[in-house]
């Protein structure tokens, strides 16, 4: 008679589930008064519609899972949830716009949370370098430079993939370039359709690239560079994205149109 316990005792039938590391996707969202109306509406829609794609990327990845954290900043700043949430259970809460642009406060908050000892990086399974996407349409109303210098000394920030989306011509690109450390990682959009498309493109590309297991050490690929290069190639090859300016380009300056929402 067959042993009903064979499946439990046969070492060849034992499957070890390897814990997956975590890649945290951070959104830093400007919710100041100038974002009211079409801009914040399109942003809410774009991220909400993109999250199911990120969920698919996470659920199909045997090496890592993706969590989401959202920090909004206006006259102060606030996290959407107190901790990063697994993308499979994350629920987007529509953001409202109003107030100033306290970017320095956002930098301070982010720096505090990019910590393995007391912040968002306390994962028992370990963490991949995070992805940080900054979205803004204007100029900071505080003085963020000191806070940014502190942030730049954070080891997690140093290895993070950082992309900034400038929403319209009024955005001060130099501020976003200071944040990313790479002018080519700053993308300027001029209308609702471009904003929605670039949020999706940046989020999906960065999530795919940065949640992959790679070699370590001096020969390990630079995921930030890979992400930015892939985004640039996608923009160049998609005629519907030709109105987006990359880096210091001002080819499409003066074409802002935020109507139609």
């Amino acid at each position: 008679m067959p042993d009903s316990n064979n499946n439990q005792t046969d070492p060849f039938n034992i499957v070890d589930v390897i814990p997956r590391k975590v890649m945290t996707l951070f959104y830093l969202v400007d919710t100041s008064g100038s974002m009211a109306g079409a801009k914040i509406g399109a942003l809410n829609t774009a991220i909400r519609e993109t999250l199911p794609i990120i969920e698919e990327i996470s659920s199909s990845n045997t090496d890592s899972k993706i969590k989401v954290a959202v920090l909004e900043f206006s006259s102060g700043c606030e996290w959407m949830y107190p901790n990063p949430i697994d993308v499979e259970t994350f629920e987007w809460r529509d953001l409202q716009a109003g107030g100033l642009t306290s970017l320095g406060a956002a930098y301070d908050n982010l720096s505090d949370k990019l910590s393995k000892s007391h912040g968002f990086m306390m994962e028992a399974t370990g963490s991949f370098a995070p992805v940080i996407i900054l979205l803004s349409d204007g100029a900071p109303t505080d003085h963020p430079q000191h806070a940014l210098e502190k942030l730049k000394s954070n080891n997690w920030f140093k290895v993070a993939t950082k992309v900034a989306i400038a929403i319209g011509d009024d955005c001060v690109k130099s501020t976003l370039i200071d944040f990313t450390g790479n002018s080519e990682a700053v993308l300027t959009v001029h209308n609702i359709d471009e904003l929605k498309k670039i949020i999706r493109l940046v989020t999906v590309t960065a999530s795919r690239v940065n949640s992959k297991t790679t070699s370590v050490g001096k020969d390990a690929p630079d995921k930030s560079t890979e992400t930015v290069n892939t985004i640039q190639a996608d923009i160049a090859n998609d005629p519907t994205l030709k109105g987006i300016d990359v880096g210091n380009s001002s080819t499409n300056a003066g074409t802002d149109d935020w109507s139609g929402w």
Side-chain angles (χ1 to χ4, degrees):
M1 179 176 179
D3 185 351
S4 61
N5 293 322
N6 273 350
N7 288 337
Q8 296 178 0
T9 58
D10 186 349
F12 295 103
N13 287 330
I14 297 175
V15 178
D16 290 329
V17 178
I18 301 175
R20 296 187 296 165
K21 288 187 176 182
V22 172
M23 194 282 287
T24 302
L25 170 64
F26 288 87
Y27 287 106
L28 271 60
V29 183
D30 179 352
T31 54
S32 60
S34 57
M35 285 287 292
K39 294 176 182 178
I40 199 66
L43 186 151
N44 283 322
T45 298
I47 297 180
R48 190 187 310 108
E49 292 179 350
T50 299
L51 287 173
I53 304 173
I54 307 308
E55 181 179 345
E56 290 180 10
I57 294 171
S58 179
S59 61
S60 64
N61 194 326
T62 58
D63 299 311
S64 64
K65 61 180 178 179
I66 298 173
K67 291 189 174 186
V68 181
V70 181
L71 178 64
E72 62 169 304
F73 59 96
S74 54
S75 298
C77 54
E78 182 179 3
W79 292 97
M80 184 174 289
Y81 295 101
N83 292 290
I85 305 291
D86 287 346
V87 67
E88 289 84 356
T89 57
F90 185 91
E91 293 185 8
W92 181 261
R93 296 175 178 174
D94 279 358
L95 300 173
Q96 305 298 319
L100 305 176
T101 311
S102 299
L103 184 57
Y107 288 163
D108 276 333
N109 237 281
L110 177 62
S111 182
D112 185 58
K113 296 303 183 183
L114 287 176
S115 169
K116 189 175 181 179
S117 62
H118 62 274
F120 286 173
M121 313 306 287
M122 295 187 298
E123 297 292 343
T125 56
S127 298
F128 282 115
V131 170
I132 308 172
I133 302 173
L134 171 62
L135 302 103
S136 182
D137 77 331
T141 51
D142 57 2
H143 300 282
Q145 196 57 41
H146 177 73
L148 181 59
E149 290 306 315
K150 174 185 174 184
L151 183 59
K152 286 181 176 180
S153 69
N154 182 293
N155 287 331
W156 281 112
F157 185 79
K158 290 177 182 177
V159 298
T161 290
K162 300 171 282 288
V163 179
I165 299 173
I167 305 173
D169 287 334
D170 291 337
C171 188
V172 179
K173 285 187 185 181
S174 60
T175 299
L176 303 189
I177 293 171
D178 284 346
F179 172 80
T180 62
N182 176 9
S183 64
E184 299 301 297
V186 176
L187 312 167
T188 304
V189 298
H190 301 281
N191 57 54
I192 295 169
D193 191 47
E194 290 174 356
L195 176 59
K196 292 169 69 175
K197 287 181 178 179
I198 204 64
I199 287 174
R200 176 171 175 153
L201 173 61
V202 168
T203 300
V204 171
T205 300
S207 296
R208 282 179 175 153
V209 171
N210 289 269
S211 62
K212 294 187 301 184
T213 298
T214 59
S215 59
V216 296
K218 63 182 178 67
D219 296 323
D222 183 340
K223 291 185 177 183
S224 180
T225 299
E226 182 181 350
T227 299
V228 172
N229 288 345
T230 303
I231 291 170
Q232 287 182 339
D234 288 340
I235 292 173
N237 293 325
D238 187 342
T240 68
L241 301 178
K242 64 181 181 180
I244 295 174
D245 289 317
V246 178
N248 288 310
S249 170
S250 57
T251 300
N252 299 291
T255 64
D256 280 11
D257 180 3
W258 301 103
S259 60
W261 182 254

